Amino acid sequence: LRTMTDYQDKLIISVAAGVSCQKIQQAFEYKELSVVRCMPNTPCLLRMGMSGLYATEYVSQKQKQSAEKIIAATGSLIWVESEAEINVVTGVSGSGPAYFFYFMEQLQQQAIDRGFDPEQARLLVQQTALGAASMVVNNPDMSISKLRENVTSKGGTTQQALTSFKDSGIEN
């Protein structure tokens, strides 16, 4: 691409985590290069992804629409107003599937350790995760904390487990 000399109408869509628009513009040796930073996540492979997009001041409305059309084919998206916000998207949504997978892994292992075979344990975990995510999606007017509260009986095992999570510092 460096052999090109006319970048005026070109749009670069970057999915490189942590690489700023300024670094991309410097690499192309063109300060006014139209750059959209995009942070997708792995569910994009199933067209169920979540992506955040940030556009430099040089990106035209038509280029934004083109970027949006491309990324929308992989799932949902949001535009953010600052490049700092795309870094937050990276931590929440870009890396988020790994956090859920890790938690699911732990739940599956707990079920196995308590006598379930791996297939049963996986089914318990995957259907629970899918059902919980579906409840969030299908109840947009209900906060996630309210959904959690609806499952949590005072003094019950769920409350005890959540207290254990909090005591371990999960909120930090």
mmCIF file with all atom_site columns, all heavy atoms in Angstrom, residues 2 17-18 20 24 29 35 37 43 45 54 68 92-93 99 108 121 143 147 164:
data_model
loop_
_atom_site.group_PDB
_atom_site.id
_atom_site.type_symbol
_atom_site.label_atom_id
_atom_site.label_alt_id
_atom_site.label_comp_id
_atom_site.label_asym_id
_atom_site.label_entity_id
_atom_site.label_seq_id
_atom_site.pdbx_PDB_ins_code
_atom_site.Cartn_x
_atom_site.Cartn_y
_atom_site.Cartn_z
_atom_site.occupancy
_atom_site.B_iso_or_equiv
_atom_site.pdbx_formal_charge
_atom_site.auth_seq_id
_atom_site.auth_comp_id
_atom_site.auth_asym_id
_atom_site.auth_atom_id
_atom_site.pdbx_PDB_model_num
ATOM 1   N N   . ARG A 1 2   ? 2.065   1.157   0.499  1.00 0.00 ? 2   ARG A N   1
ATOM 2   C CA  . ARG A 1 2   ? 2.917   2.344   0.528  1.00 0.00 ? 2   ARG A CA  1
ATOM 3   C C   . ARG A 1 2   ? 3.279   2.820   -0.870 1.00 0.00 ? 2   ARG A C   1
ATOM 4   O O   . ARG A 1 2   ? 3.699   3.947   -1.038 1.00 0.00 ? 2   ARG A O   1
ATOM 5   C CB  . ARG A 1 2   ? 4.193   2.066   1.323  1.00 0.00 ? 2   ARG A CB  1
ATOM 6   C CG  . ARG A 1 2   ? 3.991   2.213   2.797  1.00 0.00 ? 2   ARG A CG  1
ATOM 7   C CD  . ARG A 1 2   ? 5.314   2.224   3.459  1.00 0.00 ? 2   ARG A CD  1
ATOM 8   N NE  . ARG A 1 2   ? 5.175   2.914   4.715  1.00 0.00 ? 2   ARG A NE  1
ATOM 9   C CZ  . ARG A 1 2   ? 6.160   3.212   5.491  1.00 0.00 ? 2   ARG A CZ  1
ATOM 10  N NH1 . ARG A 1 2   ? 7.385   2.891   5.152  1.00 0.00 ? 2   ARG A NH1 1
ATOM 11  N NH2 . ARG A 1 2   ? 5.960   3.835   6.622  1.00 0.00 ? 2   ARG A NH2 1
ATOM 12  N N   . ALA A 1 17  ? -5.845  -4.064  17.552 1.00 0.00 ? 17  ALA A N   1
ATOM 13  C CA  . ALA A 1 17  ? -6.052  -3.574  18.919 1.00 0.00 ? 17  ALA A CA  1
ATOM 14  C C   . ALA A 1 17  ? -4.836  -2.784  19.378 1.00 0.00 ? 17  ALA A C   1
ATOM 15  O O   . ALA A 1 17  ? -3.692  -3.207  19.212 1.00 0.00 ? 17  ALA A O   1
ATOM 16  C CB  . ALA A 1 17  ? -6.305  -4.744  19.871 1.00 0.00 ? 17  ALA A CB  1
ATOM 17  N N   . GLY A 1 18  ? -5.105  -1.613  19.935 1.00 0.00 ? 18  GLY A N   1
ATOM 18  C CA  . GLY A 1 18  ? -4.039  -0.811  20.522 1.00 0.00 ? 18  GLY A CA  1
ATOM 19  C C   . GLY A 1 18  ? -3.215  0.004   19.546 1.00 0.00 ? 18  GLY A C   1
ATOM 20  O O   . GLY A 1 18  ? -2.309  0.716   19.961 1.00 0.00 ? 18  GLY A O   1
ATOM 21  N N   . SER A 1 20  ? -3.071  3.095   17.338 1.00 0.00 ? 20  SER A N   1
ATOM 22  C CA  . SER A 1 20  ? -3.825  4.347   17.198 1.00 0.00 ? 20  SER A CA  1
ATOM 23  C C   . SER A 1 20  ? -3.969  4.770   15.744 1.00 0.00 ? 20  SER A C   1
ATOM 24  O O   . SER A 1 20  ? -3.178  4.373   14.880 1.00 0.00 ? 20  SER A O   1
ATOM 25  C CB  . SER A 1 20  ? -3.135  5.463   17.980 1.00 0.00 ? 20  SER A CB  1
ATOM 26  O OG  . SER A 1 20  ? -1.933  5.839   17.333 1.00 0.00 ? 20  SER A OG  1
ATOM 27  N N   . ILE A 1 24  ? -1.332  4.696   12.412 1.00 0.00 ? 24  ILE A N   1
ATOM 28  C CA  . ILE A 1 24  ? -1.709  4.224   11.075 1.00 0.00 ? 24  ILE A CA  1
ATOM 29  C C   . ILE A 1 24  ? -1.433  5.313   10.051 1.00 0.00 ? 24  ILE A C   1
ATOM 30  O O   . ILE A 1 24  ? -0.852  5.059   8.986  1.00 0.00 ? 24  ILE A O   1
ATOM 31  C CB  . ILE A 1 24  ? -3.187  3.780   11.054 1.00 0.00 ? 24  ILE A CB  1
ATOM 32  C CG1 . ILE A 1 24  ? -3.380  2.555   11.949 1.00 0.00 ? 24  ILE A CG1 1
ATOM 33  C CG2 . ILE A 1 24  ? -3.649  3.497   9.630  1.00 0.00 ? 24  ILE A CG2 1
ATOM 34  C CD1 . ILE A 1 24  ? -4.821  2.219   12.263 1.00 0.00 ? 24  ILE A CD1 1
ATOM 35  N N   . GLU A 1 29  ? 2.281   7.629   5.989  1.00 0.00 ? 29  GLU A N   1
ATOM 36  C CA  . GLU A 1 29  ? 2.894   8.932   5.734  1.00 0.00 ? 29  GLU A CA  1
ATOM 37  C C   . GLU A 1 29  ? 1.897   9.910   5.119  1.00 0.00 ? 29  GLU A C   1
ATOM 38  O O   . GLU A 1 29  ? 2.192   10.649  4.197  1.00 0.00 ? 29  GLU A O   1
ATOM 39  C CB  . GLU A 1 29  ? 4.144   8.778   4.858  1.00 0.00 ? 29  GLU A CB  1
ATOM 40  C CG  . GLU A 1 29  ? 5.218   7.934   5.519  1.00 0.00 ? 29  GLU A CG  1
ATOM 41  C CD  . GLU A 1 29  ? 6.410   7.661   4.623  1.00 0.00 ? 29  GLU A CD  1
ATOM 42  O OE1 . GLU A 1 29  ? 6.376   7.996   3.417  1.00 0.00 ? 29  GLU A OE1 1
ATOM 43  O OE2 . GLU A 1 29  ? 7.387   7.088   5.128  1.00 0.00 ? 29  GLU A OE2 1
ATOM 44  N N   . VAL A 1 35  ? -9.336  7.039   8.555  1.00 0.00 ? 35  VAL A N   1
ATOM 45  C CA  . VAL A 1 35  ? -9.153  5.797   9.306  1.00 0.00 ? 35  VAL A CA  1
ATOM 46  C C   . VAL A 1 35  ? -10.368 5.553   10.198 1.00 0.00 ? 35  VAL A C   1
ATOM 47  O O   . VAL A 1 35  ? -10.801 6.449   10.919 1.00 0.00 ? 35  VAL A O   1
ATOM 48  C CB  . VAL A 1 35  ? -7.881  5.852   10.187 1.00 0.00 ? 35  VAL A CB  1
ATOM 49  C CG1 . VAL A 1 35  ? -7.722  4.559   10.989 1.00 0.00 ? 35  VAL A CG1 1
ATOM 50  C CG2 . VAL A 1 35  ? -6.645  6.107   9.340  1.00 0.00 ? 35  VAL A CG2 1
ATOM 51  N N   . ARG A 1 37  ? -11.146 2.948   13.201 1.00 0.00 ? 37  ARG A N   1
ATOM 52  C CA  . ARG A 1 37  ? -10.686 1.856   14.062 1.00 0.00 ? 37  ARG A CA  1
ATOM 53  C C   . ARG A 1 37  ? -11.895 1.050   14.461 1.00 0.00 ? 37  ARG A C   1
ATOM 54  O O   . ARG A 1 37  ? -12.921 1.595   14.856 1.00 0.00 ? 37  ARG A O   1
ATOM 55  C CB  . ARG A 1 37  ? -10.002 2.390   15.325 1.00 0.00 ? 37  ARG A CB  1
ATOM 56  C CG  . ARG A 1 37  ? -8.541  2.670   15.114 1.00 0.00 ? 37  ARG A CG  1
ATOM 57  C CD  . ARG A 1 37  ? -7.820  3.002   16.395 1.00 0.00 ? 37  ARG A CD  1
ATOM 58  N NE  . ARG A 1 37  ? -7.792  1.888   17.344 1.00 0.00 ? 37  ARG A NE  1
ATOM 59  C CZ  . ARG A 1 37  ? -7.431  2.024   18.613 1.00 0.00 ? 37  ARG A CZ  1
ATOM 60  N NH1 . ARG A 1 37  ? -7.089  3.193   19.106 1.00 0.00 ? 37  ARG A NH1 1
ATOM 61  N NH2 . ARG A 1 37  ? -7.423  0.975   19.411 1.00 0.00 ? 37  ARG A NH2 1
ATOM 62  N N   . PRO A 1 43  ? -17.407 -13.582 18.369 1.00 0.00 ? 43  PRO A N   1
ATOM 63  C CA  . PRO A 1 43  ? -18.738 -13.969 17.893 1.00 0.00 ? 43  PRO A CA  1
ATOM 64  C C   . PRO A 1 43  ? -19.088 -13.400 16.510 1.00 0.00 ? 43  PRO A C   1
ATOM 65  O O   . PRO A 1 43  ? -20.082 -13.824 15.908 1.00 0.00 ? 43  PRO A O   1
ATOM 66  C CB  . PRO A 1 43  ? -19.671 -13.443 18.994 1.00 0.00 ? 43  PRO A CB  1
ATOM 67  C CG  . PRO A 1 43  ? -18.828 -13.513 20.234 1.00 0.00 ? 43  PRO A CG  1
ATOM 68  C CD  . PRO A 1 43  ? -17.459 -13.090 19.752 1.00 0.00 ? 43  PRO A CD  1
ATOM 69  N N   . LEU A 1 45  ? -17.657 -14.204 14.006 1.00 0.00 ? 45  LEU A N   1
ATOM 70  C CA  . LEU A 1 45  ? -17.553 -15.374 13.134 1.00 0.00 ? 45  LEU A CA  1
ATOM 71  C C   . LEU A 1 45  ? -18.901 -16.043 12.919 1.00 0.00 ? 45  LEU A C   1
ATOM 72  O O   . LEU A 1 45  ? -19.092 -16.759 11.930 1.00 0.00 ? 45  LEU A O   1
ATOM 73  C CB  . LEU A 1 45  ? -16.565 -16.383 13.730 1.00 0.00 ? 45  LEU A CB  1
ATOM 74  C CG  . LEU A 1 45  ? -15.121 -15.892 13.852 1.00 0.00 ? 45  LEU A CG  1
ATOM 75  C CD1 . LEU A 1 45  ? -14.302 -16.849 14.704 1.00 0.00 ? 45  LEU A CD1 1
ATOM 76  C CD2 . LEU A 1 45  ? -14.501 -15.707 12.480 1.00 0.00 ? 45  LEU A CD2 1
ATOM 77  N N   . TYR A 1 54  ? -14.623 3.767   15.635 1.00 0.00 ? 54  TYR A N   1
ATOM 78  C CA  . TYR A 1 54  ? -14.239 5.164   15.833 1.00 0.00 ? 54  TYR A CA  1
ATOM 79  C C   . TYR A 1 54  ? -13.702 5.686   14.507 1.00 0.00 ? 54  TYR A C   1
ATOM 80  O O   . TYR A 1 54  ? -12.889 5.028   13.852 1.00 0.00 ? 54  TYR A O   1
ATOM 81  C CB  . TYR A 1 54  ? -13.148 5.296   16.911 1.00 0.00 ? 54  TYR A CB  1
ATOM 82  C CG  . TYR A 1 54  ? -12.522 6.665   16.907 1.00 0.00 ? 54  TYR A CG  1
ATOM 83  C CD1 . TYR A 1 54  ? -13.207 7.759   17.424 1.00 0.00 ? 54  TYR A CD1 1
ATOM 84  C CD2 . TYR A 1 54  ? -11.262 6.872   16.342 1.00 0.00 ? 54  TYR A CD2 1
ATOM 85  C CE1 . TYR A 1 54  ? -12.653 9.029   17.387 1.00 0.00 ? 54  TYR A CE1 1
ATOM 86  C CE2 . TYR A 1 54  ? -10.700 8.141   16.310 1.00 0.00 ? 54  TYR A CE2 1
ATOM 87  C CZ  . TYR A 1 54  ? -11.393 9.207   16.827 1.00 0.00 ? 54  TYR A CZ  1
ATOM 88  O OH  . TYR A 1 54  ? -10.850 10.475  16.781 1.00 0.00 ? 54  TYR A OH  1
ATOM 89  N N   . GLU A 1 68  ? -19.772 1.020   8.199  1.00 0.00 ? 68  GLU A N   1
ATOM 90  C CA  . GLU A 1 68  ? -20.879 0.473   8.968  1.00 0.00 ? 68  GLU A CA  1
ATOM 91  C C   . GLU A 1 68  ? -21.517 -0.711  8.248  1.00 0.00 ? 68  GLU A C   1
ATOM 92  O O   . GLU A 1 68  ? -21.840 -1.728  8.865  1.00 0.00 ? 68  GLU A O   1
ATOM 93  C CB  . GLU A 1 68  ? -21.914 1.558   9.244  1.00 0.00 ? 68  GLU A CB  1
ATOM 94  C CG  . GLU A 1 68  ? -22.983 1.125   10.201 1.00 0.00 ? 68  GLU A CG  1
ATOM 95  C CD  . GLU A 1 68  ? -23.810 2.284   10.730 1.00 0.00 ? 68  GLU A CD  1
ATOM 96  O OE1 . GLU A 1 68  ? -23.250 3.358   11.021 1.00 0.00 ? 68  GLU A OE1 1
ATOM 97  O OE2 . GLU A 1 68  ? -25.032 2.093   10.864 1.00 0.00 ? 68  GLU A OE2 1
ATOM 98  N N   . VAL A 1 92  ? -13.984 -4.373  27.111 1.00 0.00 ? 92  VAL A N   1
ATOM 99  C CA  . VAL A 1 92  ? -15.318 -4.877  27.459 1.00 0.00 ? 92  VAL A CA  1
ATOM 100 C C   . VAL A 1 92  ? -15.802 -5.903  26.434 1.00 0.00 ? 92  VAL A C   1
ATOM 101 O O   . VAL A 1 92  ? -16.175 -7.021  26.783 1.00 0.00 ? 92  VAL A O   1
ATOM 102 C CB  . VAL A 1 92  ? -16.335 -3.720  27.577 1.00 0.00 ? 92  VAL A CB  1
ATOM 103 C CG1 . VAL A 1 92  ? -17.754 -4.244  27.770 1.00 0.00 ? 92  VAL A CG1 1
ATOM 104 C CG2 . VAL A 1 92  ? -15.950 -2.787  28.713 1.00 0.00 ? 92  VAL A CG2 1
ATOM 105 N N   . SER A 1 93  ? -15.813 -5.532  25.188 1.00 0.00 ? 93  SER A N   1
ATOM 106 C CA  . SER A 1 93  ? -16.426 -6.368  24.161 1.00 0.00 ? 93  SER A CA  1
ATOM 107 C C   . SER A 1 93  ? -15.408 -7.184  23.364 1.00 0.00 ? 93  SER A C   1
ATOM 108 O O   . SER A 1 93  ? -15.649 -8.347  23.069 1.00 0.00 ? 93  SER A O   1
ATOM 109 C CB  . SER A 1 93  ? -17.242 -5.482  23.217 1.00 0.00 ? 93  SER A CB  1
ATOM 110 O OG  . SER A 1 93  ? -17.861 -6.252  22.232 1.00 0.00 ? 93  SER A OG  1
ATOM 111 N N   . TYR A 1 99  ? -13.629 -13.632 28.778 1.00 0.00 ? 99  TYR A N   1
ATOM 112 C CA  . TYR A 1 99  ? -14.048 -13.602 30.179 1.00 0.00 ? 99  TYR A CA  1
ATOM 113 C C   . TYR A 1 99  ? -15.217 -14.559 30.405 1.00 0.00 ? 99  TYR A C   1
ATOM 114 O O   . TYR A 1 99  ? -15.247 -15.313 31.388 1.00 0.00 ? 99  TYR A O   1
ATOM 115 C CB  . TYR A 1 99  ? -14.461 -12.194 30.616 1.00 0.00 ? 99  TYR A CB  1
ATOM 116 C CG  . TYR A 1 99  ? -13.490 -11.090 30.263 1.00 0.00 ? 99  TYR A CG  1
ATOM 117 C CD1 . TYR A 1 99  ? -13.961 -9.814  29.969 1.00 0.00 ? 99  TYR A CD1 1
ATOM 118 C CD2 . TYR A 1 99  ? -12.105 -11.296 30.206 1.00 0.00 ? 99  TYR A CD2 1
ATOM 119 C CE1 . TYR A 1 99  ? -13.093 -8.781  29.654 1.00 0.00 ? 99  TYR A CE1 1
ATOM 120 C CE2 . TYR A 1 99  ? -11.236 -10.269 29.881 1.00 0.00 ? 99  TYR A CE2 1
ATOM 121 C CZ  . TYR A 1 99  ? -11.735 -9.015  29.609 1.00 0.00 ? 99  TYR A CZ  1
ATOM 122 O OH  . TYR A 1 99  ? -10.883 -8.003  29.288 1.00 0.00 ? 99  TYR A OH  1
ATOM 123 N N   . GLN A 1 108 ? -18.111 -25.442 34.222 1.00 0.00 ? 108 GLN A N   1
ATOM 124 C CA  . GLN A 1 108 ? -18.066 -26.797 33.676 1.00 0.00 ? 108 GLN A CA  1
ATOM 125 C C   . GLN A 1 108 ? -17.184 -27.691 34.531 1.00 0.00 ? 108 GLN A C   1
ATOM 126 O O   . GLN A 1 108 ? -17.560 -28.820 34.855 1.00 0.00 ? 108 GLN A O   1
ATOM 127 C CB  . GLN A 1 108 ? -17.562 -26.777 32.230 1.00 0.00 ? 108 GLN A CB  1
ATOM 128 C CG  . GLN A 1 108 ? -17.524 -28.162 31.603 1.00 0.00 ? 108 GLN A CG  1
ATOM 129 C CD  . GLN A 1 108 ? -16.990 -28.150 30.183 1.00 0.00 ? 108 GLN A CD  1
ATOM 130 O OE1 . GLN A 1 108 ? -16.300 -27.234 29.752 1.00 0.00 ? 108 GLN A OE1 1
ATOM 131 N NE2 . GLN A 1 108 ? -17.307 -29.179 29.432 1.00 0.00 ? 108 GLN A NE2 1
ATOM 132 N N   . ALA A 1 121 ? -21.879 -31.651 31.670 1.00 0.00 ? 121 ALA A N   1
ATOM 133 C CA  . ALA A 1 121 ? -21.412 -30.402 32.272 1.00 0.00 ? 121 ALA A CA  1
ATOM 134 C C   . ALA A 1 121 ? -21.420 -29.278 31.242 1.00 0.00 ? 121 ALA A C   1
ATOM 135 O O   . ALA A 1 121 ? -21.861 -28.156 31.535 1.00 0.00 ? 121 ALA A O   1
ATOM 136 C CB  . ALA A 1 121 ? -20.012 -30.593 32.856 1.00 0.00 ? 121 ALA A CB  1
ATOM 137 N N   . SER A 1 143 ? -32.985 -3.996  33.889 1.00 0.00 ? 143 SER A N   1
ATOM 138 C CA  . SER A 1 143 ? -31.534 -3.926  34.073 1.00 0.00 ? 143 SER A CA  1
ATOM 139 C C   . SER A 1 143 ? -30.974 -5.332  34.295 1.00 0.00 ? 143 SER A C   1
ATOM 140 O O   . SER A 1 143 ? -31.677 -6.239  34.774 1.00 0.00 ? 143 SER A O   1
ATOM 141 C CB  . SER A 1 143 ? -31.180 -3.036  35.262 1.00 0.00 ? 143 SER A CB  1
ATOM 142 O OG  . SER A 1 143 ? -31.558 -3.667  36.482 1.00 0.00 ? 143 SER A OG  1
ATOM 143 N N   . LEU A 1 147 ? -32.325 -8.587  36.644 1.00 0.00 ? 147 LEU A N   1
ATOM 144 C CA  . LEU A 1 147 ? -32.399 -9.993  36.224 1.00 0.00 ? 147 LEU A CA  1
ATOM 145 C C   . LEU A 1 147 ? -31.650 -10.879 37.222 1.00 0.00 ? 147 LEU A C   1
ATOM 146 O O   . LEU A 1 147 ? -32.129 -11.951 37.597 1.00 0.00 ? 147 LEU A O   1
ATOM 147 C CB  . LEU A 1 147 ? -31.837 -10.164 34.814 1.00 0.00 ? 147 LEU A CB  1
ATOM 148 C CG  . LEU A 1 147 ? -32.698 -9.588  33.689 1.00 0.00 ? 147 LEU A CG  1
ATOM 149 C CD1 . LEU A 1 147 ? -31.912 -9.512  32.396 1.00 0.00 ? 147 LEU A CD1 1
ATOM 150 C CD2 . LEU A 1 147 ? -33.967 -10.408 33.502 1.00 0.00 ? 147 LEU A CD2 1
ATOM 151 N N   . SER A 1 164 ? -19.454 -14.663 47.744 1.00 0.00 ? 164 SER A N   1
ATOM 152 C CA  . SER A 1 164 ? -18.097 -15.185 47.591 1.00 0.00 ? 164 SER A CA  1
ATOM 153 C C   . SER A 1 164 ? -17.358 -14.487 46.449 1.00 0.00 ? 164 SER A C   1
ATOM 154 O O   . SER A 1 164 ? -16.184 -14.146 46.567 1.00 0.00 ? 164 SER A O   1
ATOM 155 C CB  . SER A 1 164 ? -18.155 -16.702 47.350 1.00 0.00 ? 164 SER A CB  1
ATOM 156 O OG  . SER A 1 164 ? -16.885 -17.216 47.065 1.00 0.00 ? 164 SER A OG  1
#
